[in-house]
Amino acid sequence: MAELHRNLIDGVWVDGEGVANINPSDTNDVIGHYAGATGDQAADAIRAARAAFPAWSRSGLMERHAILRKTADEIFARKDELGRLLAREEGKTLPEGIGETVRAGQVFEFFAGEALRLAGETVPSVRPGVGVEITREAVGVVGIITPWNFPIAIPAWKIAPALCYGNTVVFKPAELVPGCAWAIVDILHRAGLPKGVLNLVMGKGSVVGQAMLDSPDVDAITFTGSVATGTRVAAACAKHMRKVQLEMGGKNPLVVLDDADLATAVDCAVNGAFFSTGQRCTASSRLVVTQGIHDRFVEAATEKLRALVVDNALKEGTQIGPVVDENQLAQDEKYIAIGRDEGAKLAFGGERLNRETPGFYLQPALFTEASNTMRISREEIFGPVASVIRVKDYEEALSVANDTPFGLSAGICTTSLKHATHFKRNAEAGMVMVNLPTAGVDFHVPFGGRKGSSYGPREQGRYAAEFYTTVKTAYTLA
Ligand code: NAD
């Protein structure tokens, strides 16, 4: 058996039972074996993080800056190798894998800078002779629980701010993508983090994740994943009166108006709905199209879909890689059957595909004649499946766009300044895109949503400080 990738607890690589990491583009390809942690090991990791907190939270800013900077530099230098690992374990295409790796480097670079820009406020008191200082302090031990669909970027945008602001970390990555998680922790460890500051516990959510939720010694939990697990995380955090941040699902609308530039609208729809195999929380799974452009849009989008190359993620020229695993593929197929039963028309795709290597290949599926009340329009599918919902005009389009339990990203394709402006103001979503795909965001600005998509403070950019710090107000009579 190949070398076992172990968990990092209190600065030591610790053994565990090896679990095979399988390539979804080629199920004969075993990427490596990764140790599943036990509940006791999770408890050890939490203890180590607690013990390391006092010193790390008071560490010099140059130390934090240097470690984050060094991590960014190594990620940039190894972007091709890490991007390949990502594509191999998650099934994103190689260019997408490299792009996400660069994004992770940029996040560490950004927070290396933020470590040198920590600031507070000094304000006069309403009482003469008294001064008031408002400062931010680290929260404590932060539990980080991540999903499989952004195996390096999401861990980066949680770990980097946690360390930047002086917190210690227990990190549990998703079971399907331990490779990128292990690599990023290895880099940070070698960059010089003191023992116990960052602990890696790979393995099952029901064991390792649950141990983190149940521990009274974790001060905050940041979670990205499904609504079902997020709800459980929130309940556990309420029980312990612990700070929590949840980023969950989406059912993001892309509105296409009669006056849209057709090529732009089709590009936004196909990119937003199907790239990264549609496995993005910001994917445009509802294409809300006004009647004057509807038929031209469907024809052009179908043509574009027909030309897409679905194949092994590592193969040159592949545009859509495989679905992440058999379970997710079965879920996608289940929803395709539900859509048909509900009366939507499968205008393109939806079949399993065979390729040279055995993998979980699915032809991107486009439904037309869908209504916003169908299950395929209300529930997150999380695969390369999108529906076109025909509407009369802008007013109906906005109403359909907002009629969803989710509120992560919303897009509009239009050449009307009036409608673009109105949509920006009235879309019930955390992020709004005009003539851009609903997926694809910057790393230096806030990320997050409303309603069932997110709970708690925003992630990324300077807004990350809201979650990873706690505010102190100090009064002094001088
Ligand atoms: P998931 O909820 O199944 O798992 C997420 C993480 O939670 C994994 O690490 C898992 O092991 C862990 N977990 C499972 N059970 C647990 C428990 N009892 N206690 C603690 N942890 C537990 O989600 P997934 O399938 O990995 O990811 C897909 C979901 O993530 C989709 O719904 C997608 O929309 C969402 N997502 C959201 C965003 C966002 O920012 N809004 C970004 C990416 C993905």
Side-chain angles (χ1 to χ4, degrees), residues 144-150 154 157-158 172-176 203-213 223-230 232-233 246-250 279-282 328 380 382 406 408 431 447-449 453-454 459:
I144 294 180
I145 302 177
T146 55
W148 49 261
N149 65 328
F150 282 93
I154 293 180
W157 81 51
K158 293 180 188 295
K172 194 215 96 61
E175 292 91 315
L176 290 174
K204 290 205 170 90
S206 56
V207 176
V208 182
Q210 193 62 44
M212 289 160 71
L213 301 190
F223 166 87
T224 301
S226 62
V227 174
T229 314
R232 180 189 272 260
V233 172
L246 309 174
E247 291 297 344
M248 299 171 288
Q279 298 174 149
R280 294 188 284 193
C281 50
T282 47
Q328 184 61 49
E380 187 180 48
F382 217 55
F406 296 105
L408 190 57
M431 295 171 291
F447 176 91
S453 291
S454 303
E459 299 205 77

Side-chain angles (χ1 to χ4, degrees), residues 242-326:
R242 161 203 293 157
K243 206 166 179 182
V244 64
Q245 175 183 58
L246 309 174
E247 291 297 344
M248 299 171 288
K251 199 72 203 173
N252 310 289
L254 176 73
V255 169
V256 177
L257 297 186
D258 287 354
D259 62 23
D261 176 68
L262 184 64
T264 303
V266 170
D267 278 352
C268 288
V270 171
N271 174 320
F274 301 109
F275 282 22
S276 301
T277 323
Q279 298 174 149
R280 294 188 284 193
C281 50
T282 47
S284 344
S285 47
R286 293 184 299 141
L287 307 170
V288 183
V289 185
T290 48
Q291 55 194 1
I293 197 172
H294 177 274
D295 293 355
R296 281 182 294 140
F297 173 82
V298 169
E299 196 188 330
T302 311
E303 194 140 313
K304 199 153 187 131
L305 285 181
R306 197 165 284 125
L308 283 182
V309 180
V310 183
D311 208 329
N312 190 313
L314 299 178
K315 205 164 158 180
E316 205 179 326
T318 295
Q319 290 167 293
I320 308 282
V323 170
V324 74
D325 72 351
E326 182 62 48

